[in-house]
């Protein structure tokens, strides 16, 4: 990370980290589907520890779960001090990507096989996040229609 990535406090700007998470997630989704993808949502982004200018950031993106045309990618961000080799986990992000056909319409995503205990846990947790997201959307819709007069 360079000085041009810094915010006014002198740390790396969160928006820069988010952009790089989006790029890593996009690459993972394209590699899984071998098609174009778009970001439908950044569902969660945590900043656990500030990143300093001069540190080396690594982005590890994993496809956690696949539904019809959408999939969830989890991104783990680590910051390394290149002089000491000290590595810290600084962010985690979860993004929903949608696979597109050649006309730009949502297209069926290839299925995902979860084999290891970690892969199965990631799939379960992604399913939980999706259910919570859909339930929240429904609750907001219901609350808004209850607020409407008549
Ligand atoms: C994402 C997008 C393709 C969805 O199109 P749409 O017409 O709403 O398509 P659908 O209703 O058929 O939904 C397609 C999938 O997207 C998912 N989706 C749509 N909006 C979503 C949202 N806000 N959050 C999470 N998932 C979403 C749906 O759940 C569905 O998933 P499924 O097929 O696995 O069940 C469209 O909204 C779009 O192009 N958005 C702009 C994307 C963009 O510009 N991104 C930034 C640059 S890459």
């Amino acid at each position: 990370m360079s000085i041009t990535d810094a915010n006014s406090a002198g740390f790396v700007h969160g928006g820069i980290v988010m952009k790089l998470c989006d790029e890593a997630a996009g690459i993972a989704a394209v590699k899984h589907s071998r098609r174009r993808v778009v970001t439908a949502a950044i569902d969660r982004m945590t900043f656990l520890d500030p990143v300093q200018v001069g540190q080396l950031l690594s982005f590890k993106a994993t496809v956690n779960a696949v539904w019809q045309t959408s999939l969830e990618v989890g991104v783990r961000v680590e910051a390394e001090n290149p002089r000491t080799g000290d590595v810290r986990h600084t962010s985690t992000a979860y993004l929903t990507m949608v696979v597109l056909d050649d006309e730009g319409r949502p297209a069926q995503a290839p299925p995902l096989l979860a084999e290891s205990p970690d892969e199965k846990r990631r799939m379960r947790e992604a399913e939980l996040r999706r259910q919570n997201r859909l339930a929240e959307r429904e609750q907001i819709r219901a609350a808004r229609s209850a607020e409407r007069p008549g």
Side-chain angles (χ1 to χ4, degrees):
M1 292 290 110
S2 75
I3 193 79
T4 53
D5 301 317
N7 61 21
S8 52
F11 298 116
V12 171
H13 199 293
I16 302 274
V17 178
M18 197 183 282
K19 176 175 182 283
L20 293 169
C21 282
D22 190 27
E23 284 180 10
I27 293 167
V30 167
K31 286 182 74 176
H32 178 76
S33 63
R34 300 295 176 198
R35 281 184 178 267
R36 282 173 54 203
V37 302
V38 280
T39 311
I42 297 181
D43 300 305
R44 197 164 306 170
M45 177 89 224
T46 53
F47 296 99
L48 305 166
D49 226 355
V51 177
Q52 270 126 39
V53 168
Q55 292 187 329
L56 183 67
L57 281 194
S58 305
F59 296 77
K60 187 175 178 195
T62 315
V63 175
N64 289 335
V66 172
W67 295 287
Q68 276 76 50
T69 64
S70 65
L71 46 93
E72 184 195 90
V73 182
V75 184
R76 179 185 169 95
V77 186
E78 290 181 347
E80 178 179 349
N81 179 330
R83 284 187 292 166
T84 63
D86 178 46
V87 175
R88 287 174 305 121
H89 175 202
T90 53
S91 279
T92 296
Y94 297 103
L95 300 92
T96 302
M97 315 298 293
V98 174
V99 176
L100 301 180
D101 64 17
D102 293 339
E103 279 71 49
R105 291 179 305 236
Q108 183 69 45
L112 180 71
L113 185 62
E115 288 179 317
S116 72
D118 268 350
E119 289 168 351
K120 288 179 182 164
R121 175 185 53 76
R122 288 195 197 109
M123 192 180 272
R124 273 197 312 274
E125 292 174 0
E127 192 59 53
L128 192 65
R129 279 187 288 274
R130 177 179 163 93
Q131 282 167 14
N132 287 342
R133 201 168 53 238
L134 294 175
E136 183 190 75
R137 195 169 64 179
E138 272 318 301
Q139 283 165 8
I140 289 172
R141 261 195 204 140
R144 283 187 184 176
S145 60
E147 279 166 14
R148 264 186 228 119

